[in-house]
Amino acid sequence: MDVLHSGTGTLAYTVSGGVNPSGKPVLHCRVKGTLQLQCQRCLEGMEYVLDTQSDLVLARDEAELLQLDEQEDEAADAILADTKLNVLALVEDEVLLDLPLAPRHPAGTCQVKASDYGSQESSPFAVLAKLKPE
């Protein structure tokens, strides 16, 4: 997924631990900031404001992870607990999950000119039009 227009922008994150109402250990992850994404209409940069938070229930092993996935509500995801948890990878995953599939400026705000699409003569279908019987 290559949606970044440039490397400008800043992100701030917090990761803290706690216990959910069921008594399970949980990580609270919040990421805020702005990114410069590439608009899929005009291919120019657009500012995207990111503000996401999630609660990740920690599982001791694979069996508990499967059990938590079946039991817990839709709002909380479960991950495998690790003594050496890669926090940056966790934050990166949260950012990627929040990004739009096809980022676009709001309708009517792109600066695309009709000439950017090429003329009728340069269309790849122009050759087929010549073959069409009249």
Side-chain angles (χ1 to χ4, degrees):
M1 177 188 280
D2 192 20
V3 296
L4 284 180
H5 185 262
S6 69
T8 61
T10 57
L11 293 176
Y13 66 91
T14 58
V15 177
S16 60
V19 178
N20 70 4
S22 305
K24 303 282 186 197
V26 65
L27 285 179
H28 306 287
C29 181
R30 178 146 195 198
V31 185
K32 292 175 73 170
T34 58
L35 298 171
Q36 283 293 316
L37 301 184
Q38 185 172 6
C39 174
Q40 298 301 299
R41 282 191 190 113
C42 66
L43 302 179
E44 294 297 321
M46 61 175 274
E47 186 174 275
Y48 179 75
V49 178
L50 183 114
D51 187 0
T52 183
Q53 68 180 38
S54 59
D55 292 332
L56 305 167
V57 179
L58 298 174
R60 291 185 198 119
D61 53 31
E62 294 287 336
E64 186 178 7
L65 183 65
L66 291 172
Q67 181 183 11
L68 285 171
D69 279 341
E70 293 171 1
Q71 290 177 352
E72 293 296 324
D73 59 8
E74 297 283 324
D77 292 320
I79 61 170
L80 195 57
D82 189 0
T83 56
K84 296 182 182 180
L85 180 66
N86 186 342
V87 174
L88 290 179
L90 176 71
V91 170
E92 181 182 10
D93 288 346
E94 293 301 312
V95 169
L96 290 173
L97 288 170
D98 191 67
L99 291 178
L101 187 59
R104 294 182 298 258
H105 287 109
T109 60
C110 289
Q111 302 299 320
V112 179
K113 300 174 191 137
S115 62
D116 290 346
Y117 290 111
S119 64
Q120 182 68 16
E121 293 83 32
S122 67
S123 169
F125 299 107
V127 174
L128 295 175
K130 292 177 185 175
L131 297 174
K132 187 171 124 179
E134 295 188 35

